[in-house]
């Protein structure tokens, strides 16, 4: 994870004019990226811009995949558990994606539906997509068979993404771990909480709930991945969403 620092110059009035050399000089104030976000991999650049955390990613996964070219050292033939796996015709390609998420997320008064395309980002810089296949919000029923052994795949632009639990992260970080954030600034956790698997019936219509977590001991709304549709998000963003460009 790479971090930029923004400098803000503030001109302070001199308290005494008896000696021009005694006045207060302009000071630089440093706005740092909060510690909870400093877990991203090195393909991600972070900086604060006003009330937003800006996240820039190349969207390349830090794990092997059959969607890398066979001449690429990161290529790995499919070795997952889906006997119906079939590789889609796309190949992973570097992206230039910028997400702006609120540093202080707030619940929305009118909840916005999640779009096709990136709706958030995981700690390895790979973006999250919602529970639909494009272009007409079709169920993922058929598309699931093209997910690689880590439950990701690329779109026709080479944009690799996860619709379901990012298995590489939960295998390495724990099934109860913080996995990333959605565009509204609320965190996303794995499918286990307090030692038990989370099911859809324990979550609200947006696929989350509100209580303290290890990362947010004062409590926060958060989403969970589950093993059933809608997997990560239900009826839209719980909070006021930021933006994404690529």
């Amino acid at each position: 994870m790479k971090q930029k620092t923004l400098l803000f110059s503030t001109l302070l009035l001199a308290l005494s004019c008896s000696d021009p050399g005694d006045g207060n000089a302009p000071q630089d104030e440093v706005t740092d990226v909060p510690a909870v976000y400093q877990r991203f991999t090195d393909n991600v650049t972070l900086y604060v811009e006003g009330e937003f955390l800006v996240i820039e990613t190349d969207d390349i996964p830090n794990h092997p995949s059959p969607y890398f070219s066979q001449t690429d050292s990161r290529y790995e033939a499919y070795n997952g558990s889906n006997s119906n796996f079939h590789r889609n015709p796309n190949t992973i390609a570097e992206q230039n994606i910028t997400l702006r998420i609120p540093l202080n997320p707030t619940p929305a008064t009118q909840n916005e539906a999640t779009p096709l395309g990136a709706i958030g980002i995981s700690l390895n810089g790979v973006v999250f997509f919602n529970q639909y296949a494009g272009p007409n919000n079709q169920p993922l029923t058929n598309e699931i068979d093209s997910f690689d052994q880590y439950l990701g795949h690329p779109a026709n632009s080479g944009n690799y993404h996860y619709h379901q639990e990012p298995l590489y992260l939960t295998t390495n970080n724990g099934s109860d771990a913080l996995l990333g954030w959605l565009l509204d600034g609320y965190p996303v956790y794995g499918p286990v909480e307090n030692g038990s698997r989370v099911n859809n019936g324990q979550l609200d219509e947006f696929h989350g709930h509100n209580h303290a977590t290890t990362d947010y001991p004062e409590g926060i709304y958060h989403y969970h991945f589950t093993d059933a549709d809608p997997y990560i998000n239900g009826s839209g963003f719980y909070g006021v969403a930021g933006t994404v460009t690529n």
Side-chain angles (χ1 to χ4, degrees):
M1 180 269 290
K2 294 164 279 189
Q3 181 175 329
K4 297 179 182 177
T5 303
L6 298 183
L7 300 179
F8 301 92
S9 296
T10 305
L11 183 62
L12 302 178
L13 295 176
L15 296 178
S16 172
C17 297
S18 60
D19 181 348
D22 292 337
N24 290 323
Q27 294 182 345
D28 289 331
E29 297 178 359
V30 177
T31 301
D32 293 322
V33 173
V36 70
Y37 301 109
Q38 296 182 26
R39 308 180 191 185
F40 284 98
T41 46
D42 287 342
N43 61 329
V44 173
T45 298
L46 302 176
Y47 57 97
V48 172
E49 190 173 81
E51 298 300 315
F52 292 89
L53 176 71
V54 183
I55 307 170
E56 299 174 350
T57 180
D58 66 9
D59 195 47
I60 299 295
N62 62 339
H63 56 72
S65 174
Y67 288 106
F68 286 111
S69 168
Q70 291 191 30
T71 59
D72 192 307
S73 61
R74 296 166 294 183
Y75 172 82
E76 180 181 84
Y78 182 77
N79 55 17
S81 59
N82 182 1
S83 60
N84 294 320
F85 171 77
H86 61 268
R87 188 185 184 280
N88 76 23
N90 307 318
T91 300
I92 296 171
E94 184 172 321
Q95 307 292 306
N96 183 16
I97 300 174
T98 300
L99 303 93
R100 287 176 170 81
I101 69 172
L103 284 167
N104 298 297
T106 56
T109 54
Q110 293 187 333
N111 300 92
E112 176 185 352
T114 55
L116 294 177
I119 66 167
I121 188 167
S122 64
L123 293 180
N124 63 352
V126 172
V127 293
F128 297 133
F129 277 28
N130 68 16
Q131 71 270 35
Y132 297 118
N136 298 312
N137 289 352
Q138 302 298 312
L140 288 174
T141 309
N142 296 322
E143 196 164 301
I144 282 173
D145 288 337
S146 70
F147 295 171
D148 67 18
Q149 51 267 49
Y150 299 108
L151 298 186
H153 69 170
N156 55 14
S157 62
N159 178 187
Y160 189 82
H161 56 277
Y162 304 119
H163 295 268
Q164 295 183 319
E165 175 189 347
L167 285 181
Y168 184 81
L169 291 179
T170 52
T171 298
N172 286 279
N173 299 345
S175 294
D176 59 351
L178 173 68
L179 301 177
W181 289 266
L182 292 196
L183 280 176
D184 58 4
Y186 287 107
V188 180
Y189 282 84
V192 170
E193 189 168 70
N194 298 323
S196 300
R197 291 194 73 83
V198 179
N199 62 62
N200 289 353
Q202 297 171 281
L203 305 174
D204 66 16
E205 60 184 316
F206 304 105
H207 218 242
H209 55 192
N210 194 330
H211 61 72
T213 71
T214 301
D215 312 283
Y216 296 91
E218 295 182 1
I220 193 169
Y221 184 89
H222 54 280
Y223 301 97
H224 280 280
F225 274 101
T226 62
D227 58 7
D229 185 285
Y231 309 111
I232 180 174
N233 181 265
S235 299
F237 293 111
Y238 174 78
V240 179
T243 61
V244 58
T245 56
N246 58 353

